[in-house]
Structures are given as C-alpha cells and as structure tokens.
Amino acid sequence: MFKKTKVLFKKTTLMNQQQDNSIKYGGMANKSWEGLWQVKKTPWDAGKGVPILKHLVDTIYNKEEYNFIKNVLVPGAGSGYDCEILSTLKHVNKVIGLDISQSAIDHAIKLKEKYTIGNVSKVDFICQDFFGVKEKFDLIFDYTFLCALPIQLRRDWASKMKDLLNKNERSELITLIFPLVKKNEETGEMNDMDRTKGPPYILDFELVNDLLTNEGFENIEHYKVPENLSHPQRANNEILARWILK
C-alpha cells in the first residue's frame, strides 16, 4: 500500500507541475506545450539543428581560446537537435536541453540514438521550469524560446539569463532572434508585424537589446543570418546576437 501511495504521489506531483507550467507558459492553438507534443502538433520543429549554430561552433567556439566552455544550456530544447551540435564542442562536459514538456523530453531522449555528429554521453534532457534552474553555464543558446514566452515574462527571462550565466567575462548568451515578421493568415504574404499575436511573438534586435542591456549584458556581435545558414523556411527572418555580461 505504501509503495502504491508513493507512486501515486509522484504522478500527482508531476501532473500538478504540468498544470502549473501550462498556466505560466501558455501554449498554441488552445493547447498547452505538453498537449501539443502529445498529439505531435509541433510546427516549430524544423527536423534538424540550425545551420548558423554549427557554423559558430566550427568557426568560433571550438577554438582553443574557448576551452572554458564546459557547461551549456539550451532552454526550450524541444527535440534537442541543437544540443547535438553543441555536444561537438571540444571541451564541453555537459549540454543540458531543458523543456517544460515531458513528452518533448522523452522524444529528445529517443532521438539521441540517431546522433551522427554529437556526443551522446555529454547531452542530458531535463523536464524543468526554466525559472527554477539553479546551475551556472558558460554558454546559453536561446532559439524559439523567448519568442514563445508570454510577453509578461520577458523581463524575468532577461533577469534569469543573467543569473544562469557564469560570472566569467567571456561566458556568452547566444540569441537567435526569430521571427522578425510572420505570414499574414489572410493573404499568405510575409507582412504580418503585429507584435501582440503569438506565440511565436515577433521579435527584433532592439527589443532583445533593451531587455538584456538593462540586466548588464553587452552585445558583442549581431547580424542578419545569411540564407544558407538558416532553415529554408526561416531564411531572411533571423538575427544572430552574441552577449556577454559587463
């Protein structure tokens, strides 16, 4: 009886956490993020890691001067494709892929069996509220996470990023800012600039810059992502920005 009660308590606790996260983080199409993953309605899933991230790892972060990068975080990791890319960092010890959906985490764990370039032993997927994370990281990669957050959580997002980044003058937050514009549902043209509709919510560099500089971040580089380094369906709709704490 005790064992059954204990198992029931764990299941109930997990359900309560999922319900709390659904209220806090919202979702799309009248479903929570967990609900969307359960029915495999994940239109944001591009099916592979983002090319600009692999480019950054190959041309910048695998240089010896970045050998301090040991712990990496990907919030809103979903299927975890970008975690595989980040696990190719030469000196990394652990890449944490975080998501509030247990179904997303279960899916990401299964996909580890199909890694072709990544180091499976260095990647962990954890179902947890981003704002409850206590660890520190040398590199954080945000892509389709900020744009999915309810607008009222943006300042908290920036504050938490400051809290999570190691107080090393070279530790970095990478934000792949997306989308810059959305498809107009009535005309089908890419000209919808309504920032109140989402998720995903339209972002731009100025908005992210305001959020992060208010928390003591400094932008060290930003540019529009070249077409060949974006997913085809997101070409010309992304800005790469790198940040350090001053």
Side-chain angles (χ1 to χ4, degrees):
M1 173 66 80
F2 176 74
K3 289 184 178 179
K4 287 183 178 180
T5 303
K6 192 173 183 179
V7 171
L8 178 61
F9 176 75
K10 287 182 177 179
K11 287 183 178 179
T12 303
T13 300
L14 180 60
M15 289 175 62
N16 289 339
Q17 288 174 346
Q18 292 287 356
Q19 289 172 354
D20 290 344
N21 285 337
S22 295
I23 295 170
K24 183 175 184 177
Y25 286 93
M28 289 175 61
N30 297 315
K31 285 186 179 292
S32 68
W33 297 112
E34 170 64 13
L36 290 163
W37 277 101
Q38 286 181 359
V39 297
K40 297 180 172 58
K41 189 173 182 180
T42 55
W44 60 84
D45 192 316
K48 61 180 180 180
V50 62
I52 186 63
L53 180 60
K54 187 175 188 308
H55 174 75
L56 291 172
V57 169
D58 292 344
T59 62
I60 296 178
Y61 298 115
N62 261 337
K63 291 181 178 179
E64 192 61 28
E65 62 193 276
Y66 286 92
N67 62 10
F68 65 89
I69 297 178
K70 306 296 184 183
N71 296 313
V72 179
L73 176 67
V74 181
S79 295
Y81 308 119
D82 297 323
C83 295
E84 179 182 9
I85 293 174
L86 289 163
S87 72
T88 65
L89 287 163
K90 291 178 181 178
H91 300 280
V92 75
N93 291 330
K94 190 63 63 180
V95 179
I96 301 294
L98 198 73
D99 209 285
I100 57 167
S101 166
Q102 185 62 53
S103 295
I105 293 299
D106 293 343
H107 178 61
I109 291 171
K110 288 179 181 178
L111 288 180
K112 287 173 70 173
E113 301 171 4
K114 300 181 180 181
Y115 281 9
T116 57
I117 62 170
N119 190 326
V120 174
S121 66
K122 294 185 176 182
V123 179
D124 281 342
F125 291 107
I126 300 174
C127 184
Q128 186 177 341
D129 184 347
F130 166 76
F131 296 101
V133 177
K134 302 298 183 184
E135 293 182 58
K136 300 288 186 179
F137 299 90
D138 307 302
L139 186 68
I140 304 175
F141 180 60
D142 184 304
Y143 182 39
T144 68
F145 181 61
L146 176 59
C147 71
L149 285 178
I151 293 173
Q152 65 269 22
L153 291 179
R154 287 176 179 173
R155 294 287 176 190
D156 294 336
W157 167 88
S159 176
K160 188 61 181 179
M161 285 299 185
K162 178 181 180 180
D163 180 56
L164 291 173
L165 201 64
N166 260 329
K167 300 305 182 282
N168 173 324
E169 63 182 15
R170 299 184 59 210
S171 294
E172 283 190 32
L173 165 63
I174 307 170
T175 56
L176 187 48
I177 302 167
F178 166 86
L180 309 179
V181 63
K182 293 195 297 187
K183 182 182 290 187
N184 187 308
E185 296 298 330
E186 295 182 2
T187 66
E189 297 180 6
M190 292 292 289
N191 61 5
D192 187 346
M193 296 296 294
D194 187 342
R195 296 169 183 271
T196 66
K197 293 191 303 185
Y201 292 98
I202 290 174
L203 303 175
D204 59 32
F205 174 76
E206 288 72 24
L207 185 153
V208 179
N209 184 65
D210 176 65
L211 291 171
L212 292 175
T213 55
N214 280 332
E215 292 295 336
F217 281 89
E218 177 182 356
N219 179 250
I220 58 173
E221 181 178 36
H222 70 277
Y223 53 87
K224 199 160 187 178
V225 178
E227 283 189 46
N228 64 312
L229 293 178
S230 284
H231 294 306
Q233 66 271 33
R234 297 176 184 173
N236 300 309
N237 204 16
E238 300 173 319
I239 291 174
L240 190 285
R242 298 168 57 202
W243 314 82
I244 59 173
L245 280 170
K246 294 186 287 187

